[in-house]
Amino acid sequence: LALALALGVYISATVPSGRWPSISQAVAFLTARSCLLTLDAQPADPKYWRPSLLLLVPPSQAAGPQPTAGGASLLLRLAHRLSGSGLVVGGRTLPLAAIGGGGGGGGGGGLE
């Protein structure tokens, strides 16, 4: 008992006072990790499937597609109707010269 008391006094005297780490953060991390791993293990249910579309606009339309009377582009409206409640991502393609490529070497293969 005296040895344990002496060891406790020695540790409290030599260890610099500071904030000791909390175990609650580690427990929260492990709980979140285990929940995410169980989500990954479950098969995907088709009733939660939502379509996703990627809308690419040519670079020649630098100002964007011509807007309709409602203010939204015709292509964006079409993509929204096709996807229903899904995700629509829009973007513009760039020629290889605009992104620093475009050197020689035949074959093309750019996003032009």
Side-chain angles (χ1 to χ4, degrees), residues 14-41:
T14 58
V15 173
S17 64
R19 185 171 170 187
W20 288 80
S22 174
I23 192 76
S24 63
Q25 183 180 6
V27 170
F29 174 75
L30 287 176
T31 304
R33 181 179 179 269
S34 66
C35 288
L36 288 174
L37 288 175
T38 58
L39 281 177
D40 191 35

